[in-house]
Amino acid sequence: MRFISATYIFDGKRFLNDRPVLVLDDNDCFLEYRKRNSVEKSKVEFYDGIICPGFVNAHCHLELSHMKGLIAEEGRLLNFAKEIITKRRTFSKEQIQAGIVEADKFMWENGIVAVGDISNTPDTFEVKQKSPIFYHTFIELIGFNPEHAEGAFALGKELQRGASRMDLINSLVPHAPYSVSESLMKKIAADVEHTKYPVSIHNQESAQEDLFFQKKEGDFVELYDFLKMPIDFFEPSELSSLQTYLAHLGKCSNLLLVHNTFTESEDIVWANNFYRELYWCLCPNANLYIENTLPELNNFIADNCRMVVGTDSLASNNSLSITNEINVLLKFYSWAQIADVLKWATYNGAEALGIEDRFGGFIKGKNAGINCLSYNRNQLVLEKKLA
Ligand SMILES: [Zn+2]
């Protein structure tokens, strides 16, 4: 048995006032809290800092880990997309695998216990199967031409069968509003409707996304030109991207909207009214990397959005560290409460992925990880992984 306590104890939702002692069994599974003075002092491992449950990285692309440092920063989403498309497969299998292995290990060592991870390929499946990290694999579908919906869906199903054969928990998801047709989105929604699994979509990562849906103008028209894919079938809706596509996703389970860099207040209020199980994922380092800007966090807080935190991929971030994401949030939104940000990075992330009975807190009979953090000058540092 282990007895652990610290100056501050954060349980995934709040700081515990009475600073209890956490009792763990020999496998580091949480058993119970005990009052401080009920445990012999010499038996207690006491840490000067904050202890909290393991982090949940709600949005990652582990399979792009070999692309670290390859794409120039602040090049806009259009350039980023072009570079990803042309560069991602110019690597050997060995290089791709080495990147995946290293990134998985890095996340584990940096206090991440669960990840919502996008897969367009089976490249990560073996590493995820063996990893101590829990992965929810989002099998991501792309197909903007409605005539290709059937084919894109079939490809996704095939990839999904591969993941399921390896016992990876997974669900089909659309990539982004500008890359998935209404018919493909509806097929995805029907597929996940009767499961409890979450769905994710990249949302309003660029200001150009709304322009595309409102007027069929801007960078995305250029992107399809670059890809030599005619989009004559596409009619602008005159609405924002979010207000155009959300209805197509039906009423699936938890929906993670990722990035939201250019989501306006009006859209946030509308979406929260329209769709109850929404989670809004912040990937601040990736936003700075690609568009050199951040979402208007005030607007999300004002409408009581459930926020979660993700690293995105090493193609658009210098590290897959949740503490780095938290520190960017604390730096740019100096009014943000540390308890709120920690909740987004632990309990909310677990709830979004539907694994809150296993991660995101100190849960009886479970080892959901324990991180020991120091907090100095508005910066969090992971000092030690305790479990
Ligand atoms: Zn992403």
Side-chain angles (χ1 to χ4, degrees):
M1 281 223 279
R2 290 173 72 188
F3 301 93
I4 295 177
S5 194
T7 329
Y8 302 100
I9 298 173
F10 184 82
D11 74 350
K13 292 180 182 169
R14 62 187 75 82
F15 282 103
L16 303 177
N17 284 330
D18 49 351
R19 212 171 71 193
V21 174
L22 279 73
V23 184
L24 309 184
D25 70 11
D26 294 338
N27 298 315
D28 285 341
C29 293
F30 176 74
L31 294 175
E32 60 178 353
Y33 294 113
R34 281 196 203 160
K35 283 196 172 136
R36 242 187 316 164
N37 47 17
S38 72
V39 185
E40 204 180 304
K41 219 174 172 184
S42 62
K43 285 186 176 171
V44 178
E45 298 170 42
F46 187 86
Y47 296 92
D48 187 16
I50 302 169
I51 60 173
C52 73
F55 296 127
V56 178
N57 180 358
H59 182 73
C60 185
H61 302 245
L62 191 60
E63 66 188 10
L64 299 179
S65 298
H66 59 289
M67 298 187 76
K68 186 174 177 179
L70 215 69
I71 299 175
E73 296 190 28
E74 300 171 27
R76 307 211 323 256
L77 186 62
L78 171 69
N79 298 335
F80 182 79
K82 283 180 179 173
E83 295 222 47
I84 285 274
I85 292 162
T86 44
K87 285 183 177 167
R88 72 178 287 176
R89 303 310 286 180
T90 58
F91 290 82
S92 70
K93 272 189 169 163
E94 290 72 24
Q95 285 170 312
I96 293 172
Q97 283 306 311
I100 293 166
V101 168
E102 195 185 326
D104 171 71
K105 185 166 172 275
F106 178 91
M107 284 199 280
W108 178 246
E109 287 171 352
N110 283 273
I112 294 170
V113 292
V115 178
D117 188 60
I118 304 279
S119 288
N120 300 114
T121 71
D123 292 350
T124 55
F125 291 178
E126 235 179 279
V127 170
K128 287 186 205 172
Q129 192 189 33
K130 291 181 191 148
S131 175
I133 294 176
F134 169 88
Y135 283 95
H136 181 99
T137 298
F138 292 117
I139 306 275
E140 188 180 76
L141 275 61
I142 296 177
F144 194 52
N145 188 329
E147 283 178 23
H148 302 155
E150 204 74 48
F153 187 75
L155 276 177
K157 281 306 246 187
E158 194 182 319
L159 189 57
Q160 181 175 48
R161 280 192 290 276
S164 298
R165 269 198 300 275
M166 297 179 78
D167 295 325
L168 296 174
I169 304 290
N170 65 78
S171 45
L172 297 185
V173 303
H175 165 254
Y178 57 82
S179 63
V180 175
S181 64
E182 180 179 331
S183 44
L184 183 53
M185 254 190 225
K186 286 179 172 167
K187 285 176 95 61
I188 294 168
D191 192 73
V192 291
E193 196 180 284
H194 300 296
T195 73
K196 60 183 185 341
Y197 294 136
V199 173
S200 87
I201 184 166
H202 295 86
N203 179 60
Q204 294 170 315
E205 188 176 358
S206 151
Q208 298 289 319
E209 192 172 305
D210 279 346
L211 185 65
F212 184 58
F213 279 90
Q214 281 157 351
K215 298 184 176 159
K216 197 180 178 178
E217 288 173 8
D219 282 2
F220 289 105
V221 175
E222 195 187 315
L223 179 66
Y224 282 109
D225 232 35
F226 167 79
L227 296 170
K228 299 193 171 42
M229 288 166 62
I231 52 166
D232 306 333
F233 55 83
F234 175 65
E235 295 286 342
S237 63
E238 295 175 23
L239 296 169
S240 71
S241 141
L242 187 60
Q243 295 199 30
T244 308
Y245 76 80
L246 204 55
H248 310 330
L249 285 176
K251 293 283 170 199
C252 25
S253 195
N254 298 351
L255 177 61
L256 282 88
L257 300 177
V258 180
H259 290 302
N260 314 303
T261 330
F262 293 89
T263 308
E264 305 272 353
S265 180
E266 190 192 323
D267 266 4
I268 296 169
V269 173
W270 177 87
N272 282 332
N273 280 332
F274 183 80
Y275 201 109
R276 292 236 315 264
E277 310 303 329
L278 282 186
Y279 292 83
W280 303 82
C281 184
L282 299 166
C283 304
N285 274 310
N287 298 156
L288 293 174
Y289 195 107
I290 298 175
E291 294 274 350
N292 195 24
T293 187
L294 289 170
E296 230 11 281
L297 187 58
N298 267 318
N299 295 339
F300 296 88
I301 306 298
D303 206 42
N304 293 317
C305 291
R306 280 175 296 204
M307 310 307 295
V308 299
V309 181
T311 58
D312 213 350
S313 74
L314 283 176
S316 61
N317 199 340
N318 294 315
S319 82
L320 303 183
S321 154
I322 289 293
T323 44
N324 284 356
E325 302 302 322
I326 290 176
N327 286 334
V328 172
L329 294 173
L330 294 174
K331 180 179 165 192
F332 285 90
Y333 311 106
S334 52
W335 46 267
Q337 298 292 313
I338 188 159
D340 290 337
V341 182
L342 278 177
K343 184 183 176 202
W344 305 344
T346 56
Y347 180 78
N348 279 12
E351 191 185 57
L353 297 178
I355 51 168
E356 71 275 19
D357 57 349
R358 174 71 186 81
F359 295 102
F362 301 126
I363 302 153
K364 201 171 161 58
K366 310 287 182 198
N367 176 357
I370 302 179
N371 292 333
C372 177
L373 312 164
S374 63
Y375 181 59
N376 213 330
R377 295 186 187 176
N378 233 15
Q379 295 282 289
L380 275 181
V381 176
L382 176 68
E383 296 293 342
K384 204 175 173 193
K385 260 167 72 91
L386 306 179

